[in-house]
Amino acid sequence: MPTVEPQMLKGVLALLLLRLVAEQEDYGYSLVQRLRAAGLPDAAEGSVYPALARLEARGLLVPRMVREGRGPGRRYYSPSVAGLEEATRLEQSWEAVGAAVRATARRTDVPVGADEGAGRAPVPTRGG
C-alpha cells in the first residue's frame, strides 16, 4: 500500500474525522484505528487528538464524556450541524483538488505516481 504524504493527510484529516463521527459517535483512539483500517497506516494519535481539539474549539464537534469502570472517562465525539455542513464543504473542496490533479495528469500525459526519468526530460526550473 502506498504511503500518504503527511501534508496531504493533514489537509484532509478534518474531513475524515467529521465523516467518521457522522457515521458513528466515537473517541480518539478508536478514530485512529478506523483511519488506519481505511488505508491510512500512518494516522497517529499525535495528529488526530489535536485535530479533534481544533474541530471541537470551532464548534464542529460535540463531545460527550463516558465513564467506563474506574478509569478515566473517554471523550466521545459527534458532529454538530455546523460540523456536518463543514464536512460537505471540505468534501467538495477535496473533490475539486482531485479533479485538478487528474486533469493536470491527463494534460501532461504523465500518470500520477510515475517515476521521474522514465523517458521524459526533466522540467526546467527558473534560472536554470
PDB file of all heavy atoms in Angstrom, residues 91-111:
ATOM      1  N   GLU A  91     -15.497  18.265   1.631  1.00  0.00           N
ATOM      2  CA  GLU A  91     -15.552  17.196   0.637  1.00  0.00           C
ATOM      3  C   GLU A  91     -15.612  17.783  -0.775  1.00  0.00           C
ATOM      4  O   GLU A  91     -14.923  17.305  -1.688  1.00  0.00           O
ATOM      5  CB  GLU A  91     -16.762  16.305   0.891  1.00  0.00           C
ATOM      6  CG  GLU A  91     -16.735  15.033   0.089  1.00  0.00           C
ATOM      7  CD  GLU A  91     -17.773  14.042   0.558  1.00  0.00           C
ATOM      8  OE1 GLU A  91     -17.937  13.853   1.778  1.00  0.00           O
ATOM      9  OE2 GLU A  91     -18.427  13.458  -0.316  1.00  0.00           O
ATOM     10  N   GLN A  92     -16.393  18.831  -0.969  1.00  0.00           N
ATOM     11  CA  GLN A  92     -16.459  19.486  -2.279  1.00  0.00           C
ATOM     12  C   GLN A  92     -15.105  20.074  -2.657  1.00  0.00           C
ATOM     13  O   GLN A  92     -14.671  19.974  -3.811  1.00  0.00           O
ATOM     14  CB  GLN A  92     -17.542  20.569  -2.267  1.00  0.00           C
ATOM     15  CG  GLN A  92     -18.938  19.996  -2.188  1.00  0.00           C
ATOM     16  CD  GLN A  92     -19.996  21.052  -1.898  1.00  0.00           C
ATOM     17  OE1 GLN A  92     -19.696  22.173  -1.499  1.00  0.00           O
ATOM     18  NE2 GLN A  92     -21.251  20.679  -2.077  1.00  0.00           N
ATOM     19  N   SER A  93     -14.424  20.656  -1.692  1.00  0.00           N
ATOM     20  CA  SER A  93     -13.104  21.220  -1.931  1.00  0.00           C
ATOM     21  C   SER A  93     -12.111  20.126  -2.313  1.00  0.00           C
ATOM     22  O   SER A  93     -11.321  20.274  -3.253  1.00  0.00           O
ATOM     23  CB  SER A  93     -12.635  21.975  -0.685  1.00  0.00           C
ATOM     24  OG  SER A  93     -11.361  22.520  -0.879  1.00  0.00           O
ATOM     25  N   TRP A  94     -12.130  19.017  -1.579  1.00  0.00           N
ATOM     26  CA  TRP A  94     -11.225  17.906  -1.852  1.00  0.00           C
ATOM     27  C   TRP A  94     -11.495  17.322  -3.234  1.00  0.00           C
ATOM     28  O   TRP A  94     -10.578  16.987  -3.981  1.00  0.00           O
ATOM     29  CB  TRP A  94     -11.358  16.843  -0.769  1.00  0.00           C
ATOM     30  CG  TRP A  94     -10.328  15.783  -0.875  1.00  0.00           C
ATOM     31  CD1 TRP A  94     -10.522  14.502  -1.257  1.00  0.00           C
ATOM     32  CD2 TRP A  94      -8.927  15.902  -0.621  1.00  0.00           C
ATOM     33  NE1 TRP A  94      -9.337  13.808  -1.258  1.00  0.00           N
ATOM     34  CE2 TRP A  94      -8.340  14.655  -0.871  1.00  0.00           C
ATOM     35  CE3 TRP A  94      -8.122  16.954  -0.206  1.00  0.00           C
ATOM     36  CZ2 TRP A  94      -6.984  14.424  -0.717  1.00  0.00           C
ATOM     37  CZ3 TRP A  94      -6.758  16.715  -0.056  1.00  0.00           C
ATOM     38  CH2 TRP A  94      -6.206  15.470  -0.305  1.00  0.00           C
ATOM     39  N   GLU A  95     -12.775  17.213  -3.606  1.00  0.00           N
ATOM     40  CA  GLU A  95     -13.119  16.705  -4.935  1.00  0.00           C
ATOM     41  C   GLU A  95     -12.596  17.638  -6.028  1.00  0.00           C
ATOM     42  O   GLU A  95     -12.136  17.180  -7.065  1.00  0.00           O
ATOM     43  CB  GLU A  95     -14.629  16.511  -5.054  1.00  0.00           C
ATOM     44  CG  GLU A  95     -15.116  15.314  -4.260  1.00  0.00           C
ATOM     45  CD  GLU A  95     -16.629  15.193  -4.204  1.00  0.00           C
ATOM     46  OE1 GLU A  95     -17.341  16.019  -4.826  1.00  0.00           O
ATOM     47  OE2 GLU A  95     -17.108  14.265  -3.540  1.00  0.00           O
ATOM     48  N   ALA A  96     -12.653  18.944  -5.798  1.00  0.00           N
ATOM     49  CA  ALA A  96     -12.133  19.904  -6.770  1.00  0.00           C
ATOM     50  C   ALA A  96     -10.623  19.753  -6.926  1.00  0.00           C
ATOM     51  O   ALA A  96     -10.094  19.795  -8.050  1.00  0.00           O
ATOM     52  CB  ALA A  96     -12.488  21.333  -6.350  1.00  0.00           C
ATOM     53  N   VAL A  97      -9.913  19.562  -5.828  1.00  0.00           N
ATOM     54  CA  VAL A  97      -8.465  19.351  -5.890  1.00  0.00           C
ATOM     55  C   VAL A  97      -8.160  18.067  -6.652  1.00  0.00           C
ATOM     56  O   VAL A  97      -7.287  18.036  -7.526  1.00  0.00           O
ATOM     57  CB  VAL A  97      -7.844  19.321  -4.475  1.00  0.00           C
ATOM     58  CG1 VAL A  97      -6.406  18.829  -4.511  1.00  0.00           C
ATOM     59  CG2 VAL A  97      -7.928  20.686  -3.825  1.00  0.00           C
ATOM     60  N   GLY A  98      -8.878  16.996  -6.341  1.00  0.00           N
ATOM     61  CA  GLY A  98      -8.675  15.723  -7.039  1.00  0.00           C
ATOM     62  C   GLY A  98      -8.921  15.841  -8.529  1.00  0.00           C
ATOM     63  O   GLY A  98      -8.168  15.301  -9.349  1.00  0.00           O
ATOM     64  N   ALA A  99      -9.963  16.574  -8.903  1.00  0.00           N
ATOM     65  CA  ALA A  99     -10.266  16.771 -10.322  1.00  0.00           C
ATOM     66  C   ALA A  99      -9.139  17.546 -11.008  1.00  0.00           C
ATOM     67  O   ALA A  99      -8.754  17.226 -12.140  1.00  0.00           O
ATOM     68  CB  ALA A  99     -11.597  17.506 -10.477  1.00  0.00           C
ATOM     69  N   ALA A 100      -8.589  18.545 -10.309  1.00  0.00           N
ATOM     70  CA  ALA A 100      -7.488  19.322 -10.885  1.00  0.00           C
ATOM     71  C   ALA A 100      -6.241  18.457 -11.060  1.00  0.00           C
ATOM     72  O   ALA A 100      -5.541  18.560 -12.073  1.00  0.00           O
ATOM     73  CB  ALA A 100      -7.186  20.539 -10.011  1.00  0.00           C
ATOM     74  N   VAL A 101      -5.968  17.590 -10.107  1.00  0.00           N
ATOM     75  CA  VAL A 101      -4.809  16.693 -10.214  1.00  0.00           C
ATOM     76  C   VAL A 101      -4.992  15.748 -11.395  1.00  0.00           C
ATOM     77  O   VAL A 101      -4.074  15.561 -12.207  1.00  0.00           O
ATOM     78  CB  VAL A 101      -4.598  15.906  -8.898  1.00  0.00           C
ATOM     79  CG1 VAL A 101      -3.590  14.778  -9.082  1.00  0.00           C
ATOM     80  CG2 VAL A 101      -4.165  16.844  -7.783  1.00  0.00           C
ATOM     81  N   ARG A 102      -6.185  15.162 -11.508  1.00  0.00           N
ATOM     82  CA  ARG A 102      -6.434  14.240 -12.621  1.00  0.00           C
ATOM     83  C   ARG A 102      -6.352  14.961 -13.966  1.00  0.00           C
ATOM     84  O   ARG A 102      -5.774  14.446 -14.918  1.00  0.00           O
ATOM     85  CB  ARG A 102      -7.797  13.560 -12.444  1.00  0.00           C
ATOM     86  CG  ARG A 102      -7.795  12.500 -11.336  1.00  0.00           C
ATOM     87  CD  ARG A 102      -9.107  11.735 -11.277  1.00  0.00           C
ATOM     88  NE  ARG A 102     -10.238  12.597 -10.946  1.00  0.00           N
ATOM     89  CZ  ARG A 102     -10.565  12.987  -9.711  1.00  0.00           C
ATOM     90  NH1 ARG A 102      -9.836  12.574  -8.687  1.00  0.00           N
ATOM     91  NH2 ARG A 102     -11.611  13.759  -9.494  1.00  0.00           N
ATOM     92  N   ALA A 103      -6.909  16.168 -14.043  1.00  0.00           N
ATOM     93  CA  ALA A 103      -6.872  16.931 -15.294  1.00  0.00           C
ATOM     94  C   ALA A 103      -5.444  17.295 -15.665  1.00  0.00           C
ATOM     95  O   ALA A 103      -5.057  17.222 -16.840  1.00  0.00           O
ATOM     96  CB  ALA A 103      -7.723  18.193 -15.167  1.00  0.00           C
ATOM     97  N   THR A 104      -4.638  17.673 -14.691  1.00  0.00           N
ATOM     98  CA  THR A 104      -3.251  18.026 -14.944  1.00  0.00           C
ATOM     99  C   THR A 104      -2.463  16.806 -15.403  1.00  0.00           C
ATOM    100  O   THR A 104      -1.666  16.879 -16.337  1.00  0.00           O
ATOM    101  CB  THR A 104      -2.606  18.644 -13.687  1.00  0.00           C
ATOM    102  OG1 THR A 104      -3.361  19.797 -13.325  1.00  0.00           O
ATOM    103  CG2 THR A 104      -1.163  19.026 -13.926  1.00  0.00           C
ATOM    104  N   ALA A 105      -2.703  15.677 -14.776  1.00  0.00           N
ATOM    105  CA  ALA A 105      -2.002  14.446 -15.157  1.00  0.00           C
ATOM    106  C   ALA A 105      -2.350  14.051 -16.588  1.00  0.00           C
ATOM    107  O   ALA A 105      -1.487  13.635 -17.354  1.00  0.00           O
ATOM    108  CB  ALA A 105      -2.348  13.321 -14.194  1.00  0.00           C
ATOM    109  N   ARG A 106      -3.612  14.200 -16.968  1.00  0.00           N
ATOM    110  CA  ARG A 106      -4.015  13.877 -18.349  1.00  0.00           C
ATOM    111  C   ARG A 106      -3.375  14.837 -19.345  1.00  0.00           C
ATOM    112  O   ARG A 106      -2.934  14.425 -20.413  1.00  0.00           O
ATOM    113  CB  ARG A 106      -5.535  13.934 -18.475  1.00  0.00           C
ATOM    114  CG  ARG A 106      -6.242  12.708 -17.980  1.00  0.00           C
ATOM    115  CD  ARG A 106      -7.694  12.694 -18.405  1.00  0.00           C
ATOM    116  NE  ARG A 106      -8.437  13.845 -17.918  1.00  0.00           N
ATOM    117  CZ  ARG A 106      -9.060  13.907 -16.742  1.00  0.00           C
ATOM    118  NH1 ARG A 106      -9.014  12.870 -15.933  1.00  0.00           N
ATOM    119  NH2 ARG A 106      -9.710  14.987 -16.379  1.00  0.00           N
ATOM    120  N   ARG A 107      -3.327  16.118 -19.000  1.00  0.00           N
ATOM    121  CA  ARG A 107      -2.785  17.135 -19.901  1.00  0.00           C
ATOM    122  C   ARG A 107      -1.301  16.919 -20.152  1.00  0.00           C
ATOM    123  O   ARG A 107      -0.815  17.145 -21.251  1.00  0.00           O
ATOM    124  CB  ARG A 107      -3.011  18.524 -19.291  1.00  0.00           C
ATOM    125  CG  ARG A 107      -3.627  19.474 -20.229  1.00  0.00           C
ATOM    126  CD  ARG A 107      -3.855  20.879 -19.725  1.00  0.00           C
ATOM    127  NE  ARG A 107      -3.137  21.322 -18.576  1.00  0.00           N
ATOM    128  CZ  ARG A 107      -3.690  21.557 -17.377  1.00  0.00           C
ATOM    129  NH1 ARG A 107      -4.960  21.348 -17.185  1.00  0.00           N
ATOM    130  NH2 ARG A 107      -2.968  21.980 -16.390  1.00  0.00           N
ATOM    131  N   THR A 108      -0.589  16.515 -19.133  1.00  0.00           N
ATOM    132  CA  THR A 108       0.856  16.345 -19.273  1.00  0.00           C
ATOM    133  C   THR A 108       1.218  14.936 -19.716  1.00  0.00           C
ATOM    134  O   THR A 108       2.377  14.631 -19.933  1.00  0.00           O
ATOM    135  CB  THR A 108       1.589  16.659 -17.955  1.00  0.00           C
ATOM    136  OG1 THR A 108       1.099  15.787 -16.933  1.00  0.00           O
ATOM    137  CG2 THR A 108       1.401  18.111 -17.561  1.00  0.00           C
ATOM    138  N   ASP A 109       0.197  14.062 -19.821  1.00  0.00           N
ATOM    139  CA  ASP A 109       0.404  12.688 -20.257  1.00  0.00           C
ATOM    140  C   ASP A 109       1.383  11.940 -19.360  1.00  0.00           C
ATOM    141  O   ASP A 109       2.124  11.086 -19.813  1.00  0.00           O
ATOM    142  CB  ASP A 109       0.859  12.649 -21.712  1.00  0.00           C
ATOM    143  CG  ASP A 109       0.686  11.257 -22.301  1.00  0.00           C
ATOM    144  OD1 ASP A 109      -0.248  10.541 -21.885  1.00  0.00           O
ATOM    145  OD2 ASP A 109       1.498  10.878 -23.156  1.00  0.00           O
ATOM    146  N   VAL A 110       1.442  12.309 -18.104  1.00  0.00           N
ATOM    147  CA  VAL A 110       2.284  11.612 -17.130  1.00  0.00           C
ATOM    148  C   VAL A 110       1.356  11.023 -16.087  1.00  0.00           C
ATOM    149  O   VAL A 110       0.635  11.763 -15.423  1.00  0.00           O
ATOM    150  CB  VAL A 110       3.288  12.571 -16.448  1.00  0.00           C
ATOM    151  CG1 VAL A 110       4.078  11.840 -15.383  1.00  0.00           C
ATOM    152  CG2 VAL A 110       4.209  13.185 -17.471  1.00  0.00           C
ATOM    153  N   PRO A 111       1.332   9.708 -15.961  1.00  0.00           N
ATOM    154  CA  PRO A 111       0.458   9.122 -14.951  1.00  0.00           C
ATOM    155  C   PRO A 111       0.857   9.599 -13.555  1.00  0.00           C
ATOM    156  O   PRO A 111       2.041   9.739 -13.255  1.00  0.00           O
ATOM    157  CB  PRO A 111       0.678   7.619 -15.075  1.00  0.00           C
ATOM    158  CG  PRO A 111       1.524   7.412 -16.279  1.00  0.00           C
ATOM    159  CD  PRO A 111       2.097   8.725 -16.691  1.00  0.00           C
TER     160      PRO A 111
END
